[in-house]
Amino acid sequence: MSNNFEPIGIAVVGCGNISDQYLTNLLRFPDVKVVACADIDLTRASAQAAKYGVPRSADLATVLEMPDVELIINLTIPAVHASVALQAIRSGKHVYGEKPFALSIEEAQTITAAAAEHKVKLGNAPDTFLGAGLQTARRVIEADHIGTPISAKATFGYPGPDAWHPNPEFLFQKGGGPLLDMGPYYLTALVQLFGPVKTISGFGRRAQNRRTIGSGPRAGETFEVAVDTQISALLEFASGPIATVRFSFDEPIATRELEVHGTGGAIRLPDPNAFDGSVFVCKKDLNKNTPNEWLDAPTDADWTEFPAEGSAEGRGMGALDLARAARSGGTPRASADLALHVLDIMESIIRSAASGQSVAVATTCKVAEPLPANWNPLQKSTQ
Ligand SMILES: NC(=O)c1ccc[n+]([C@@H]2O[C@H](COP(=O)([O-])OP(=O)(O)OC[C@H]3O[C@@H](n4cnc5c(N)ncnc54)[C@H](O)[C@@H]3O)[C@@H](O)[C@H]2O)c1
């Protein structure tokens, strides 16, 4: 096969905290070429361009006029995700954005409609479900190691990002909080395993109305908390399983759990905010156990390890998959429909918490095609 795949030109827009991970990874993928960095703060854009050897830096409007920029990687703060995405789409650029997709379903639907109108590809983080860890978990469940999934438990808790992020305010405003910040990893992983969510009951609280920046040049400054920082919810999936989820910036003890129980056993998944990590399976054989063993919790020895198989190159894998889809005419796996449904789940949790009523989720999405275990971001495509 001839090697005629032209690398897709990328501009990274938003050169803050997370841009280092994207720039490090995208520069190693031969199917994409980072040609520009942009930020509302031009010194940040030029500093990241200089650090990573990216040829140009500019403001968003200038970058959108560059003909060799085909794909915008939107790493701005949640409050401007939609406006940056819309400007890029209306300039005919493909867009891959960081989570959350937008601040509201209406904003998200405006973006998807614009992408359809301008015939550009649209995708969104998280792409961690494309990593070796969660892809292996999906293969293990599909190979029937735990029987039919019945329930899931997802928990993420810690004291909050005000301790480490140098500019943490956006993580405590609309578009932030533990649900919008960390929920996308856990909820996307669950939707990839079970399909769309049908009904939701949620509850929310906040432990503090003001927080203090804990590190960096602004340490000691305080700011207002505008969202709930303790969220619990029950999710009923259309395919049957029920999940219990909890997200917290209020808990002093850090927890990260993602577990699925089926008719034949249970599986512990790796951290869904990471691309790697083994999967552990515990099976119960109904015929071999005596009745009183049914109440015993399994010991560590009862869990069998399945090492992660696949690529774990990190953030940017979803953007690369989108870039390849832009060339081939395919559908990006970290798709806008998936991100929109996950946003709808989170919005529904908040609506349910505010109203005290269960909420029916209006949107739906398709589960992305699994990645072949030999999918390789470091290899140049041949078509
Ligand atoms: N920091 C992390 O560990 C992390 C991890 C995963 C995802 N994310 C997500 O990535 C996004 C960015 O997070 P961050 O931590 O890098 O934030 P950040 O505040 O460090 O960086 C955001 C950058 O966007 C720029 N910006 C703001 N408005 C802009 C505009 N209108 N046009 C161009 N640039 C603009 C800011 O100047 C800043 O440089 C968020 O959506 C966040 O949820 C962050």
Side-chain angles (χ1 to χ4, degrees):
M1 217 180 282
S2 69
N3 202 341
N4 58 1
F5 187 100
E6 268 301 304
I8 298 246
I10 284 182
V12 169
V13 179
C15 294
N17 213 281
I18 202 62
S19 64
D20 282 307
Q21 282 188 35
Y22 276 89
L23 285 160
T24 302
N25 294 335
L26 292 170
L27 286 163
R28 296 185 306 134
F29 300 164
D31 282 351
V32 296
K33 193 171 164 186
V34 184
V35 296
C37 287
D39 199 293
I40 200 164
D41 179 342
L42 291 176
T43 55
R44 285 194 190 183
S46 59
Q48 284 302 70
K51 183 173 170 187
Y52 290 95
V54 174
R56 280 164 277 161
S57 64
D59 59 17
L60 175 62
T62 307
V63 152
L64 293 180
E65 282 169 11
M66 295 176 181
D68 59 344
V69 170
E70 295 176 76
L71 168 60
I72 295 295
I73 309 284
N74 183 3
L75 308 182
T76 58
I77 52 171
V80 299
H81 281 177
S83 71
V84 169
L86 283 170
Q87 287 173 71
I89 290 166
R90 288 171 185 153
S91 304
K93 312 293 186 191
H94 307 295
V95 176
Y96 180 88
E98 251 305 332
K99 50 81 192 164
F101 188 28
L103 292 190
S104 67
I105 291 297
E106 292 73 27
E107 250 189 20
Q109 284 169 334
T110 307
I111 303 172
T112 51
E117 183 191 339
H118 291 270
K119 298 188 170 48
V120 296
K121 300 285 181 197
L122 184 59
N124 216 81
D127 54 357
T128 41
F129 74 91
L130 299 176
L134 292 180
Q135 288 287 316
T136 300
R138 180 170 168 183
R139 283 192 288 271
V140 166
I141 291 174
E142 286 175 359
D144 210 26
H145 284 281
I146 63 157
T148 304
I150 299 167
S151 66
K153 179 176 72 168
T155 309
F156 174 89
Y158 84 124
D162 43 332
W164 60 267
H165 199 293
N167 297 297
E169 287 97 325
F170 79 86
L171 292 162
F172 293 87
Q173 287 161 11
K174 190 167 162 59
L179 178 61
L180 274 284
D181 185 43
M182 296 308 297
Y185 301 110
Y186 292 80
L187 300 171
T188 304
L190 290 173
V191 169
Q192 285 301 304
L193 297 176
F194 304 149
V197 171
K198 195 169 81 170
T199 321
I200 283 172
S201 287
F203 299 87
R205 299 277 184 281
R206 66 193 77 168
Q208 304 165 54
N209 289 319
R210 289 195 77 75
R211 296 256 180 167
T212 306
I213 300 177
S215 70
R218 299 174 56 216
E221 283 181 35
T222 66
F223 61 91
E224 195 189 342
V225 175
V227 291
D228 282 344
T229 44
Q230 182 72 31
I231 307 269
S232 290
L234 282 174
L235 316 180
E236 183 193 24
F237 288 80
S239 64
I242 296 166
T244 314
V245 303
R246 188 176 96 233
F247 303 104
S248 179
F249 285 168
D250 290 344
E251 297 175 358
I253 310 299
T255 44
R256 282 187 184 82
E257 293 168 304
L258 186 56
E259 200 168 281
V260 176
H261 289 255
T263 50
I267 178 169
R268 281 190 193 145
L269 290 87
D271 180 355
N273 184 16
F275 289 78
D276 214 346
S278 291
V279 163
F280 293 86
V281 170
C282 178
K283 293 190 191 200
K284 272 270 187 187
D285 186 335
L286 282 172
N287 300 318
K288 282 190 192 154
N289 291 282
T290 55
N292 61 358
E293 276 183 272
W294 291 106
L295 292 176
D296 293 342
T299 65
D300 284 351
D302 294 320
W303 292 88
T304 305
E305 182 173 2
F306 290 70
E309 272 181 56
S311 175
E313 297 300 329
R315 290 193 164 83
M317 284 172 62
L320 171 67
D321 180 56
L322 182 145
R324 288 175 171 172
R327 282 281 183 271
S328 68
T331 306
R333 288 178 171 82
S335 70
D337 285 352
L338 171 61
L340 194 145
H341 181 63
V342 169
L343 181 64
D344 197 3
I345 295 171
M346 297 189 292
E347 234 184 40
S348 300
I349 291 173
I350 293 168
R351 274 214 319 281
S352 171
S355 67
Q357 307 286 320
S358 291
V359 168
V361 181
T363 60
T364 184
C365 69
K366 286 204 176 109
V367 171
E369 286 293 309
L371 271 183
N374 63 357
W375 190 84
N376 187 356
L378 303 177
Q379 202 164 49
K380 198 163 168 27
S381 287
T382 51
Q383 50 186 349

